[in-house]
Amino acid sequence: MGKIVCFANNKGGVGKTTTAVALGYAWARMGKKVLFVDLDSQANLTAMVSPLAPDEHEASIRDAFLDKNQFKIEHAADHVDLVPSELSLSNFDRDTASVTGREYLLLDLLKPVKSKYDFIIIDCPPALGLITYNALIASDNLVMVATPDGLAYQGMVMVANLYADVKSNPRLNPDLVLSGVIISKYERNKLSDMYVEKIKSEMGDAFIEPVLTKATKIAQAGSFNQNIYDYDPSGKVTKQYLEIAKTLGKRVSGRKL
Ligand SMILES: Nc1ncnc2c1ncn2[C@@H]1O[C@H](COP(=O)(O)OP(=O)(O)OP(=O)(O)O)[C@@H](O)[C@H]1O
Ligand SMILES: [Mg+2]
């Protein structure tokens, strides 16, 4: 049975999507079968992973939330499938206002396909609304991504509080595990070093080394919708991502990759 892993932080721009994509591709390159689920109406992950133009997708995750017969999985690359997002997912709260059990929509969609994949990767929006709630309820594992600064730290603490709520409620997701805390876009200075140490000491075993360095090539790869293993195969951050993929992959799957 595959594992569902979601990437979250209430703060925007901290590297959630870049990290979700980089780790997913790393696992696919190790021969694992990966499904990406884009839960952000910005559809950044969709643009990075899919060879299709935004208007070429047959159906998005928003369509599937409104009608489960519209749950369409696209093939994106070798070992990589995708459920795309689109801008109108931003209407999710309004769209589902009269739906009972709307916290469980994602769980119900993913249950039947879970056994087909080794890893199902969910990219959350920078918010703690109903969409992220769906992600935490549907997932086996939570990974929090943060840049080493005060606002990203606070956004992470908010996710940690939501995680505690979801986990402590037997009707929500008591089996959810906080499997990773990843620091991204690190640049050496006093403030960053202070936050790295703070996050490390507070997060204990969940903290994952190495800290990801800030690198122009990673931002470039993102802008060109290119994958870092093709764009910068020998880059420092590319290697850091491969190392994290091994550690997190083992934690999540319970086996060495
Ligand atoms: N290690 C890195 N070095 C330099 N730039 C990076 C790095 N990681 C991510 N970026 C860049 O930082 C920006 C934000 O990254 P990303 O989109 O992954 O963040 P996010 O948390 O998903 O944002 P949002 O909350 O808006 O969804 C992007 O332009 C991305 O290319
Ligand atoms: Mg994102």
Side-chain angles (χ1 to χ4, degrees), residues 41-67:
S41 62
Q42 298 178 96
N44 295 150
L45 183 140
T46 300
M48 284 169 82
V49 169
S50 178
L52 301 179
D55 59 354
E56 289 177 336
H57 300 283
E58 192 186 346
S60 75
I61 188 69
R62 189 242 182 179
D63 300 314
F65 282 142
L66 298 181
D67 172 3

mmCIF file of all heavy atoms in Angstrom, residues 41-67:
data_model
loop_
_atom_site.group_PDB
_atom_site.id
_atom_site.type_symbol
_atom_site.label_atom_id
_atom_site.label_comp_id
_atom_site.label_asym_id
_atom_site.label_seq_id
_atom_site.Cartn_x
_atom_site.Cartn_y
_atom_site.Cartn_z
ATOM 1 N N SER A 41 -4.726 26.437 -5.789
ATOM 2 C CA SER A 41 -5.353 27.058 -6.971
ATOM 3 C C SER A 41 -4.344 27.850 -7.804
ATOM 4 O O SER A 41 -4.630 28.193 -8.949
ATOM 5 C CB SER A 41 -6.512 27.963 -6.544
ATOM 6 O OG SER A 41 -6.023 28.994 -5.725
ATOM 7 N N GLN A 42 -3.167 28.115 -7.259
ATOM 8 C CA GLN A 42 -2.118 28.753 -8.075
ATOM 9 C C GLN A 42 -1.603 27.792 -9.145
ATOM 10 O O GLN A 42 -0.969 28.201 -10.109
ATOM 11 C CB GLN A 42 -0.931 29.171 -7.207
ATOM 12 C CG GLN A 42 -1.248 30.204 -6.147
ATOM 13 C CD GLN A 42 -0.009 30.531 -5.304
ATOM 14 O OE1 GLN A 42 0.687 31.486 -5.567
ATOM 15 N NE2 GLN A 42 0.269 29.727 -4.291
ATOM 16 N N ALA A 43 -1.824 26.474 -8.925
ATOM 17 C CA ALA A 43 -1.447 25.426 -9.874
ATOM 18 C C ALA A 43 0.037 25.458 -10.258
ATOM 19 O O ALA A 43 0.400 25.124 -11.384
ATOM 20 C CB ALA A 43 -2.332 25.473 -11.133
ATOM 21 N N ASN A 44 0.896 25.839 -9.327
ATOM 22 C CA ASN A 44 2.337 25.856 -9.615
ATOM 23 C C ASN A 44 2.875 24.456 -9.845
ATOM 24 O O ASN A 44 3.679 24.228 -10.749
ATOM 25 C CB ASN A 44 3.127 26.495 -8.455
ATOM 26 C CG ASN A 44 2.817 27.958 -8.258
ATOM 27 O OD1 ASN A 44 2.880 28.468 -7.155
ATOM 28 N ND2 ASN A 44 2.457 28.656 -9.327
ATOM 29 N N LEU A 45 2.453 23.510 -9.026
ATOM 30 C CA LEU A 45 2.937 22.130 -9.188
ATOM 31 C C LEU A 45 2.479 21.578 -10.542
ATOM 32 O O LEU A 45 3.253 20.949 -11.258
ATOM 33 C CB LEU A 45 2.448 21.238 -8.043
ATOM 34 C CG LEU A 45 2.966 19.800 -8.095
ATOM 35 C CD1 LEU A 45 3.330 19.303 -6.702
ATOM 36 C CD2 LEU A 45 1.950 18.854 -8.728
ATOM 37 N N THR A 46 1.236 21.854 -10.896
ATOM 38 C CA THR A 46 0.704 21.398 -12.193
ATOM 39 C C THR A 46 1.587 21.910 -13.327
ATOM 40 O O THR A 46 1.970 21.150 -14.222
ATOM 41 C CB THR A 46 -0.750 21.890 -12.360
ATOM 42 O OG1 THR A 46 -1.531 21.344 -11.291
ATOM 43 C CG2 THR A 46 -1.333 21.466 -13.688
ATOM 44 N N ALA A 47 1.935 23.196 -13.266
ATOM 45 C CA ALA A 47 2.763 23.787 -14.330
ATOM 46 C C ALA A 47 4.151 23.150 -14.352
ATOM 47 O O ALA A 47 4.727 22.936 -15.425
ATOM 48 C CB ALA A 47 2.882 25.290 -14.113
ATOM 49 N N MET A 48 4.674 22.810 -13.177
ATOM 50 C CA MET A 48 6.032 22.251 -13.119
ATOM 51 C C MET A 48 6.073 20.800 -13.590
ATOM 52 O O MET A 48 7.065 20.355 -14.146
ATOM 53 C CB MET A 48 6.584 22.345 -11.688
ATOM 54 C CG MET A 48 7.020 23.753 -11.314
ATOM 55 S SD MET A 48 7.368 23.920 -9.560
ATOM 56 C CE MET A 48 9.030 23.290 -9.481
ATOM 57 N N VAL A 49 4.989 20.064 -13.359
ATOM 58 C CA VAL A 49 5.013 18.623 -13.619
ATOM 59 C C VAL A 49 4.394 18.253 -14.968
ATOM 60 O O VAL A 49 4.851 17.334 -15.639
ATOM 61 C CB VAL A 49 4.274 17.877 -12.464
ATOM 62 C CG1 VAL A 49 4.038 16.426 -12.811
ATOM 63 C CG2 VAL A 49 5.074 17.995 -11.159
ATOM 64 N N SER A 50 3.357 18.982 -15.366
ATOM 65 C CA SER A 50 2.603 18.546 -16.544
ATOM 66 C C SER A 50 3.195 19.060 -17.851
ATOM 67 O O SER A 50 3.577 20.229 -17.938
ATOM 68 C CB SER A 50 1.157 19.032 -16.433
ATOM 69 O OG SER A 50 0.462 18.655 -17.587
ATOM 70 N N PRO A 51 3.206 18.229 -18.877
ATOM 71 C CA PRO A 51 3.616 18.715 -20.196
ATOM 72 C C PRO A 51 2.488 19.489 -20.891
ATOM 73 O O PRO A 51 2.703 20.109 -21.927
ATOM 74 C CB PRO A 51 3.929 17.411 -20.963
ATOM 75 C CG PRO A 51 3.142 16.341 -20.276
ATOM 76 C CD PRO A 51 2.922 16.778 -18.862
ATOM 77 N N LEU A 52 1.289 19.477 -20.317
ATOM 78 C CA LEU A 52 0.138 20.124 -20.964
ATOM 79 C C LEU A 52 0.063 21.614 -20.620
ATOM 80 O O LEU A 52 0.509 22.043 -19.556
ATOM 81 C CB LEU A 52 -1.173 19.467 -20.510
ATOM 82 C CG LEU A 52 -1.341 17.966 -20.773
ATOM 83 C CD1 LEU A 52 -2.693 17.488 -20.238
ATOM 84 C CD2 LEU A 52 -1.210 17.663 -22.262
ATOM 85 N N ALA A 53 -0.579 22.376 -21.509
ATOM 86 C CA ALA A 53 -0.881 23.776 -21.215
ATOM 87 C C ALA A 53 -2.076 23.811 -20.261
ATOM 88 O O ALA A 53 -2.844 22.845 -20.209
ATOM 89 C CB ALA A 53 -1.217 24.506 -22.512
ATOM 90 N N PRO A 54 -2.237 24.925 -19.496
ATOM 91 C CA PRO A 54 -3.309 24.975 -18.490
ATOM 92 C C PRO A 54 -4.702 24.632 -19.031
ATOM 93 O O PRO A 54 -5.512 24.036 -18.336
ATOM 94 C CB PRO A 54 -3.263 26.419 -17.995
ATOM 95 C CG PRO A 54 -1.854 26.845 -18.228
ATOM 96 C CD PRO A 54 -1.390 26.110 -19.450
ATOM 97 N N ASP A 55 -4.986 24.995 -20.281
ATOM 98 C CA ASP A 55 -6.341 24.741 -20.800
ATOM 99 C C ASP A 55 -6.481 23.362 -21.454
ATOM 100 O O ASP A 55 -7.525 23.040 -22.013
ATOM 101 C CB ASP A 55 -6.746 25.850 -21.794
ATOM 102 C CG ASP A 55 -5.779 25.931 -22.974
ATOM 103 O OD1 ASP A 55 -4.748 25.209 -22.962
ATOM 104 O OD2 ASP A 55 -6.037 26.721 -23.906
ATOM 105 N N GLU A 56 -5.438 22.548 -21.377
ATOM 106 C CA GLU A 56 -5.489 21.235 -22.030
ATOM 107 C C GLU A 56 -5.880 20.087 -21.092
ATOM 108 O O GLU A 56 -6.007 18.955 -21.525
ATOM 109 C CB GLU A 56 -4.132 20.905 -22.660
ATOM 110 C CG GLU A 56 -3.831 21.754 -23.893
ATOM 111 C CD GLU A 56 -2.439 21.464 -24.474
ATOM 112 O OE1 GLU A 56 -1.556 20.980 -23.730
ATOM 113 O OE2 GLU A 56 -2.248 21.744 -25.660
ATOM 114 N N HIS A 57 -6.029 20.378 -19.797
ATOM 115 C CA HIS A 57 -6.363 19.309 -18.855
ATOM 116 C C HIS A 57 -7.832 18.920 -18.994
ATOM 117 O O HIS A 57 -8.698 19.783 -19.101
ATOM 118 C CB HIS A 57 -6.078 19.749 -17.422
ATOM 119 C CG HIS A 57 -4.644 20.103 -17.186
ATOM 120 N ND1 HIS A 57 -3.669 19.153 -17.040
ATOM 121 C CD2 HIS A 57 -4.017 21.305 -17.103
ATOM 122 C CE1 HIS A 57 -2.499 19.756 -16.871
ATOM 123 N NE2 HIS A 57 -2.676 21.054 -16.915
ATOM 124 N N GLU A 58 -8.066 17.606 -18.953
ATOM 125 C CA GLU A 58 -9.441 17.136 -19.102
ATOM 126 C C GLU A 58 -10.290 17.532 -17.888
ATOM 127 O O GLU A 58 -11.443 17.956 -18.031
ATOM 128 C CB GLU A 58 -9.411 15.612 -19.269
ATOM 129 C CG GLU A 58 -10.734 15.030 -19.708
ATOM 130 C CD GLU A 58 -10.696 13.505 -19.723
ATOM 131 O OE1 GLU A 58 -9.594 12.917 -19.654
ATOM 132 O OE2 GLU A 58 -11.785 12.908 -19.776
ATOM 133 N N ALA A 59 -9.705 17.379 -16.706
ATOM 134 C CA ALA A 59 -10.427 17.723 -15.479
ATOM 135 C C ALA A 59 -9.404 18.009 -14.388
ATOM 136 O O ALA A 59 -8.307 17.461 -14.396
ATOM 137 C CB ALA A 59 -11.326 16.572 -15.061
ATOM 138 N N SER A 60 -9.796 18.857 -13.443
ATOM 139 C CA SER A 60 -8.884 19.195 -12.341
ATOM 140 C C SER A 60 -9.387 18.586 -11.038
ATOM 141 O O SER A 60 -10.477 18.014 -10.986
ATOM 142 C CB SER A 60 -8.807 20.717 -12.185
ATOM 143 O OG SER A 60 -10.004 21.168 -11.565
ATOM 144 N N ILE A 61 -8.618 18.774 -9.989
ATOM 145 C CA ILE A 61 -9.030 18.283 -8.668
ATOM 146 C C ILE A 61 -10.313 18.996 -8.233
ATOM 147 O O ILE A 61 -11.157 18.417 -7.546
ATOM 148 C CB ILE A 61 -7.890 18.450 -7.620
ATOM 149 C CG1 ILE A 61 -8.230 17.775 -6.297
ATOM 150 C CG2 ILE A 61 -7.529 19.911 -7.391
ATOM 151 C CD1 ILE A 61 -8.270 16.293 -6.314
ATOM 152 N N ARG A 62 -10.503 20.220 -8.687
ATOM 153 C CA ARG A 62 -11.744 20.946 -8.349
ATOM 154 C C ARG A 62 -12.953 20.231 -8.955
ATOM 155 O O ARG A 62 -13.980 20.065 -8.299
ATOM 156 C CB ARG A 62 -11.639 22.369 -8.888
ATOM 157 C CG ARG A 62 -12.758 23.262 -8.419
ATOM 158 C CD ARG A 62 -13.583 23.753 -9.580
ATOM 159 N NE ARG A 62 -14.623 24.662 -9.102
ATOM 160 C CZ ARG A 62 -15.471 25.255 -9.910
ATOM 161 N NH1 ARG A 62 -15.392 25.084 -11.216
ATOM 162 N NH2 ARG A 62 -16.420 26.029 -9.410
ATOM 163 N N ASP A 63 -12.812 19.777 -10.217
ATOM 164 C CA ASP A 63 -13.916 19.029 -10.844
ATOM 165 C C ASP A 63 -14.203 17.762 -10.053
ATOM 166 O O ASP A 63 -15.359 17.382 -9.859
ATOM 167 C CB ASP A 63 -13.555 18.653 -12.291
ATOM 168 C CG ASP A 63 -13.291 19.883 -13.136
ATOM 169 O OD1 ASP A 63 -14.091 20.819 -13.062
ATOM 170 O OD2 ASP A 63 -12.269 19.905 -13.852
ATOM 171 N N ALA A 64 -13.138 17.096 -9.599
ATOM 172 C CA ALA A 64 -13.307 15.840 -8.856
ATOM 173 C C ALA A 64 -13.991 16.083 -7.509
ATOM 174 O O ALA A 64 -14.795 15.261 -7.061
ATOM 175 C CB ALA A 64 -11.949 15.180 -8.643
ATOM 176 N N PHE A 65 -13.673 17.215 -6.874
ATOM 177 C CA PHE A 65 -14.339 17.527 -5.604
ATOM 178 C C PHE A 65 -15.851 17.742 -5.805
ATOM 179 O O PHE A 65 -16.655 17.412 -4.951
ATOM 180 C CB PHE A 65 -13.726 18.781 -4.965
ATOM 181 C CG PHE A 65 -12.402 18.533 -4.278
ATOM 182 C CD1 PHE A 65 -11.380 19.476 -4.339
ATOM 183 C CD2 PHE A 65 -12.181 17.367 -3.548
ATOM 184 C CE1 PHE A 65 -10.163 19.259 -3.699
ATOM 185 C CE2 PHE A 65 -10.961 17.139 -2.907
ATOM 186 C CZ PHE A 65 -9.956 18.089 -2.983
ATOM 187 N N LEU A 66 -16.201 18.287 -6.965
ATOM 188 C CA LEU A 66 -17.620 18.555 -7.223
ATOM 189 C C LEU A 66 -18.345 17.311 -7.719
ATOM 190 O O LEU A 66 -19.546 17.162 -7.528
ATOM 191 C CB LEU A 66 -17.761 19.677 -8.263
ATOM 192 C CG LEU A 66 -17.179 21.026 -7.844
ATOM 193 C CD1 LEU A 66 -17.398 22.057 -8.932
ATOM 194 C CD2 LEU A 66 -17.807 21.498 -6.539
ATOM 195 N N ASP A 67 -17.615 16.415 -8.396
ATOM 196 C CA ASP A 67 -18.230 15.207 -8.955
ATOM 197 C C ASP A 67 -17.146 14.130 -9.034
ATOM 198 O O ASP A 67 -16.233 14.236 -9.852
ATOM 199 C CB ASP A 67 -18.772 15.534 -10.356
ATOM 200 C CG ASP A 67 -19.250 14.291 -11.098
ATOM 201 O OD1 ASP A 67 -19.223 13.181 -10.510
ATOM 202 O OD2 ASP A 67 -19.644 14.436 -12.272
#
